[in-house]
Amino acid sequence: MVRPNEEVEALLHEYADLIAITGGDAFRARAYEKAARAIGGCPADVSHLDAAALREIPGVGRSIAEKVVEYVRTGHVTEVEETRARIPAGVRQLITVPTLGPRKALALYENLHISSVDELADAIRARKLRGLKGFGQKTEANLLHGIALMRQAGERIPLSTATEAAEDIVAELSRITGCKHCAYAGSLRRMKETVGDIDVLVAAGRSAPFMDALAELPSTAEVVAHGAKKTSVRTLTGVQVDLRVVRPDSWGAGLQYFTGSKAHNIRTRTIAAHLGLKLSEYGLSETGSGRRVASRSEDEVYARLGLPWIPPTLREDRGEIEAGLRGELPEVVTERDVRGDLHTHTDLTDGLAPLEEMVAAAAERGYAYYAVTDHAPDLRMQRMTDEKILAQRERVRSLDGRYHGMRLLHGAELNIGPEGEVDWPDGFLAGFDLCVASVHSHFTLGRRAMTRRIVRACENPRVNVIGHPTTRLIGRRPGIDADLDEVFAACARTGTALEINSQPDRLDLGDEDILRARSHGARFAVDSDAHSVPQLALLRYGIGTAQRGWLTPDDVINTWPLRRLRRFLRKDRAG
């Protein structure tokens, strides 16, 4: 089910957009955006908090707290609904198109009466936008690409959304008497960045109790199909869930079959056929007699095929079968291997929690070290100054080692400018333990200029990690146009790590880019980019992406002991 916090977060984000569309104060819009993020990341259920308790949440003032209370009590907010009524629904839909901001959406409506995404696509193809200020050929191309991204994303579910829904369903079904095993499978188990639907598998003697239970869950909005072998439902959030029940002695074969991928399964069935066997969701059996020779566990099924157990994240037919047959399957990195997080934020900039809370939460995760990397001054909306960052450094130094012996690193997230320059001169940067450098603006530079920009950042001896390297936002913003192979080679040459950003709307680098970067000899940092305490746990999604890129602990710098990590961070200044 959708948490009240998520409902309120969505409402406040919408109101921030409405303020922007109507030409309201930009700082007020940002205040609602920050409050939305804070409420979304708050561990307490906001429906149980009064106005005073709500104001304890960072970024939530009196006016916002009153709106939250009104929403929880009545299901709506009068001020929001009045503002909605002033803006055509089509304009609100238009601002969901990547690269199209609120003011341009309003201009399209007022000048061309465009009030839907389909009308916008038609108008671009008919070249109707070219007479409007700010709408040139490049803008048209970007908008068409954004529309395509949005439509594609509309058919897919973010990994984190699917995981949360699947884990709730698995927990509910696991409680039913007779359940021997229960797990989610499909592309979700393979940790693809988006999934089409959720596959859940149960091992039990009787299927009816589980099929009935799924149909009756509070999170189920619609029963699409209800049968003895398969039941499909759609949740309140629009996610389709397909449930299958197999006998306990077929659990391993069923889990292997329904995890996929299709290409991987074709390969395993081909191997089975060459061995005179048949592989299905019921088991691995002899072709002639039908006698089952393996089915209870995935390990058993793979072993009978002459293969080691293959991690689900590798099952894409990208060489895992051949590597398994040669005995060269990698021991992929796991969350247990991670010794620290190298990219996190506090409320000094756009984070939601104070330094002490973030440090304490990181220590509870068992980290050996932890880096604080608030934004540098060129991201002007964060209002960073030299004095603020130096004061934070003193606080970081005073907390070093005080939380379960965890060592603290003081860093910054720098901004890579159009020419590859970064915030602060070299002398000032020398005081940081590490620097993450990221592109936050000028996303539409030409390919050569963009490539040169990032390579120059890699060549900066103070830059240790390139943050969210392609800048993509899944389904909302395409990655930058750069020669990534040149960037990857530069990272390998200069000793600069590439980040795998664990934020579910980024997962940047993606798995295919990781595979390419790894072939160049680059190193990686899997970071949460956490802006609140709950977001530290997002690291699991970055680790899944790293696994899909075949990374081992040796490839990932924040699995290394602190001494080895510090040597890497010195780059060519080692001595």
Side-chain angles (χ1 to χ4, degrees):
M1 296 181 65
V2 179
R3 294 174 63 228
N5 296 44
E6 293 170 357
E7 293 181 7
V8 173
E9 180 183 14
L11 180 77
L12 295 181
H13 274 306
E14 180 192 0
Y15 192 45
D17 286 339
L18 295 174
I19 293 170
I21 292 171
T22 54
D25 182 68
F27 286 102
R28 185 165 178 250
R30 280 201 290 271
Y32 275 92
E33 288 174 353
K34 186 170 184 178
R37 292 196 304 271
I39 287 172
C42 177
D45 185 335
V46 294
S47 66
H48 298 155
L49 304 181
D50 60 16
L54 286 165
R55 291 179 67 179
E56 295 297 316
I57 300 173
V60 177
R62 179 183 57 80
S63 177
I64 294 175
E66 289 173 354
K67 288 180 176 66
V68 174
V69 170
E70 180 184 358
Y71 179 76
V72 169
R73 188 180 68 250
T74 68
H76 68 272
V77 176
T78 302
E79 192 172 331
V80 175
E81 295 205 343
E82 289 175 349
T83 310
R84 274 185 193 142
R86 293 165 48 198
I87 302 165
V91 177
R92 299 201 301 272
Q93 184 190 30
L94 287 177
I95 64 171
T96 64
V97 176
T99 75
L100 183 63
R103 294 179 188 273
K104 283 191 173 182
L106 192 59
L108 289 171
Y109 177 78
E110 291 177 340
N111 290 281
L112 298 175
H113 308 295
I114 295 172
S115 60
S116 74
V117 175
D118 288 340
E119 288 177 1
L120 174 59
D122 290 342
I124 293 171
R125 294 189 185 99
R127 301 185 178 184
K128 292 181 178 179
L129 274 59
R130 295 193 179 180
L132 293 181
K133 184 179 179 181
F135 291 89
Q137 291 186 30
K138 191 169 184 180
T139 302
E140 291 177 342
N142 289 338
L143 288 175
L144 284 175
H145 187 55
I147 291 169
L149 276 176
M150 187 179 69
R151 287 171 172 167
Q152 181 182 4
E155 300 168 1
R156 307 285 293 177
I157 310 155
L159 175 62
S160 58
T161 302
T163 300
E164 291 167 8
E167 288 179 343
D168 286 345
I169 290 168
V170 166
E172 292 290 340
L173 297 181
S174 295
R175 297 189 184 101
I176 297 174
T177 302
C179 179
K180 301 298 183 184
H181 304 284
C182 183
Y184 53 80
S187 56
L188 178 57
R189 188 172 178 230
R190 302 199 311 278
M191 296 201 77
K192 293 197 69 172
E193 61 197 32
T194 60
V195 302
D197 50 35
I198 297 172
D199 295 293
V200 176
L201 192 66
V202 166
R206 296 177 59 239
S207 66
F210 300 92
M211 302 302 189
D212 293 342
L214 178 65
E216 294 166 6
L217 285 179
S219 59
T220 295
E222 174 190 5
V223 178
V224 179
H226 191 298
K229 292 185 177 181
K230 177 182 175 182
T231 290
S232 298
V233 303
R234 199 172 303 280
T235 70
L236 292 170
T237 56
V239 180
Q240 180 163 321
V241 181
D242 297 329
L243 171 65
R244 296 171 178 85
V245 179
V246 298
R247 296 188 60 82
D249 60 2
S250 292
W251 170 251
L255 189 58
Q256 192 278 332
Y257 180 87
F258 288 113
T259 294
S261 66
K262 182 179 179 180
H264 177 87
N265 283 357
I266 289 172
R267 295 297 304 278
T268 54
R269 289 200 300 271
T270 300
I271 292 173
H274 286 311
L275 295 172
L277 302 171
K278 180 182 178 182
L279 179 61
S280 72
E281 64 265 44
Y282 305 109
L284 189 60
S285 56
E286 294 177 345
T287 303
S289 67
R291 183 178 70 88
R292 278 197 299 187
V293 296
S295 63
R296 289 186 173 275
S297 71
E298 283 192 316
D299 296 62
E300 181 181 283
V301 171
Y302 278 111
R304 187 64 180 79
L305 295 174
L307 291 163
W309 179 80
I310 298 176
T313 44
L314 299 186
R315 300 181 196 177
E316 299 290 351
D317 191 25
R318 294 196 289 207
E320 73 277 7
I321 298 291
E322 291 79 3
L325 291 171
R326 294 193 306 266
E328 297 175 358
L329 206 62
E331 292 285 339
V332 289
V333 63
T334 69
E335 201 167 355
R336 293 187 300 275
D337 296 316
V338 175
R339 296 173 187 250
D341 198 333
L342 301 182
H343 181 179
T344 67
H345 297 273
T346 75
D347 61 358
L348 182 62
T349 54
D350 60 347
L352 305 173
L355 173 66
E356 289 79 3
E357 287 185 18
M358 294 297 289
V359 171
E364 288 301 313
R365 292 178 63 81
Y367 289 152
Y369 48 81
Y370 177 74
V372 178
T373 55
D374 275 313
H375 286 288
D378 284 357
L379 202 62
R380 290 181 176 82
M381 69 181 68
Q382 305 306 336
R383 300 179 178 179
M384 177 60 78
T385 65
D386 295 6
E387 292 74 22
K388 285 182 181 180
I389 201 72
L390 291 175
Q392 183 188 65
R393 182 175 299 162
E394 290 303 311
R395 291 172 62 204
V396 168
R397 299 292 184 242
S398 70
L399 296 173
D400 186 28
R402 287 175 52 183
Y403 290 83
H404 307 306
M406 183 178 71
R407 303 305 305 273
L408 297 181
L409 303 175
H410 187 237
E413 184 180 9
L414 308 176
N415 305 283
I416 303 175
E419 299 298 324
E421 73 277 15
V422 296
D423 326 61
W424 287 312
D426 184 79
F428 194 84
L429 291 177
F432 291 101
D433 296 311
L434 83 161
C435 291
V436 178
S438 310
V439 170
H440 290 115
S441 64
H442 299 86
F443 299 117
T444 58
L445 285 180
R447 183 179 180 83
R448 289 180 63 185
M450 186 67 78
T451 304
R452 184 173 62 249
R453 171 190 195 180
I454 301 175
V455 168
R456 284 180 177 172
C458 294
E459 292 170 344
N460 187 317
R462 303 298 177 185
V463 170
N464 305 114
V465 180
I466 301 298
H468 42 76
T470 76
T471 80
R472 72 169 183 176
L473 293 174
I474 297 171
R476 291 191 287 136
R477 185 172 72 207
I480 54 175
D481 183 15
D483 184 339
L484 292 181
D485 286 299
E486 187 174 339
V487 171
F488 299 155
C491 283
R493 170 171 52 84
T494 61
T496 308
L498 288 155
E499 182 177 68
I500 300 170
N501 189 293
S502 301
Q503 291 287 321
D505 63 345
R506 288 191 185 275
L507 297 180
D508 182 13
L509 288 172
D511 56 355
E512 293 183 358
D513 287 334
I514 293 169
L515 287 164
R516 287 165 57 196
R518 184 172 179 265
S519 72
H520 285 278
R523 300 292 193 177
F524 303 83
V526 183
D527 300 323
S528 70
D529 191 7
H531 286 65
S532 65
V533 167
Q535 286 191 357
L536 290 170
L538 296 177
L539 194 82
R540 65 189 293 197
Y541 302 117
I543 288 293
T545 303
Q547 290 180 352
R548 290 180 58 79
W550 288 53
L551 296 189
T552 69
D554 191 56
D555 296 313
V556 178
I557 65 172
N558 50 318
T559 70
W560 298 351
L562 182 58
R563 182 175 295 180
R564 183 183 178 190
L565 174 65
R566 285 193 185 278
R567 286 200 303 269
F568 180 86
L569 296 178
R570 288 200 296 266
K571 292 183 80 169
D572 57 1
R573 305 185 309 277

